[in-house]
Amino acid sequence: MGKYAQIVIGPAGCGKSTYCHTLYEHCLAIKRSVHCVNLDPAAEAFQYPVSFDIRDLVSLEDVVEELGLGPNGGLLYCMEYLEDNLHDWLGEQLESYGDDDYLVFDCPGQIELYNHLSVFRSFVDFLKNDGWNVCVVYCLDAHFITDIAKFMAGALQALAAMVKLELPHVNVLTKVDLLEDKRHLDDFLFPDSALLLPQLAASTGPRFRALNKAMGQLLEEFSLVSFMPLDITDEDSIADILGQIDIAIQYGEDAEPRIREDEYDPERDGDGDGGDGGDDI
């Protein structure tokens, strides 16, 4: 038994909420309970039911109106306010969840929140101290692969989040179903600097050669960044991603196998005594 959580992060517009919706619909279809949580104080509408919402604590609209901040400054204020209220507000929300509960946190898109600030590290530490098995799901738009420079930047952002948060981490290449040309998709699922650097050099020019080489070496030395493709039109796609996350957080490993009463048939053992099928002595 355990408590499990996904923290879904990534750049703005990369498909985090669509991923959460797709995951929720998949779990609904396989009769598996999952609870979606909104941690974006600027969110307006959802395709999935929200179990609890940061906007009940603080909303970007109220902060901008009352403090006169811009949208980015207001978002930073909201997340720092959440950090200050983790024990009171978040702790109270989590009290209603226990063993075998599975939460999916849909997070805001500004990368500085998890690359430069302490709020998400404080958040994941709070969850871990409360007994939650946590996995980070980093979403990156598949259209980044059409521009090698953008893809390298996205891969480095994913690596930075992995190093910063120090959690089991699954990187997801979203919107694969919208790609017109998927012939070279596999080249980006397991980035190989020897393959990607010549493309990067051709698109950025010779003056960036040393920088390109350093970025390629960084990804190569850590050897941590790989991606799983998400095609929301393919049920197997989300099932594969969920299976990988389940392995990362050891979901269900300590569950005892159970036989439903309507599935049990004493005649199956051959002698009708409910035994193991062996000969009677």
Side-chain angles (χ1 to χ4, degrees), residues 263-275:
E263 290 181 341
Y264 177 68
D265 182 358
E267 297 299 329
R268 289 180 182 174
D269 64 12
D271 56 12
D273 64 354

Side-chain angles (χ1 to χ4, degrees), residues 30-108:
I30 63 175
K31 295 180 172 55
R32 175 168 160 179
S33 177
V34 65
H35 307 278
C36 295
V37 178
N38 174 47
L39 278 191
D40 185 356
E44 296 181 355
F46 306 94
Q47 294 177 293
Y48 52 81
V50 179
S51 294
F52 62 92
D53 192 337
I54 188 178
R55 295 176 303 172
D56 294 333
L57 173 69
V58 60
S59 73
L60 180 61
E61 183 180 0
D62 292 341
V63 168
V64 169
E65 181 179 346
E66 294 180 14
L67 300 182
L69 297 174
N72 289 328
L75 181 60
L76 295 181
Y77 178 91
C78 290
M79 300 312 293
E80 289 174 347
Y81 190 81
L82 170 65
E83 186 176 17
D84 292 338
N85 289 274
L86 283 175
H87 291 274
D88 294 333
W89 181 76
L90 184 60
E92 181 180 347
Q93 300 299 321
L94 295 177
E95 285 179 357
S96 58
Y97 299 94
D99 286 341
D100 272 354
D101 275 323
Y102 200 117
L103 300 183
V104 179
F105 292 92
D106 189 1
C107 301

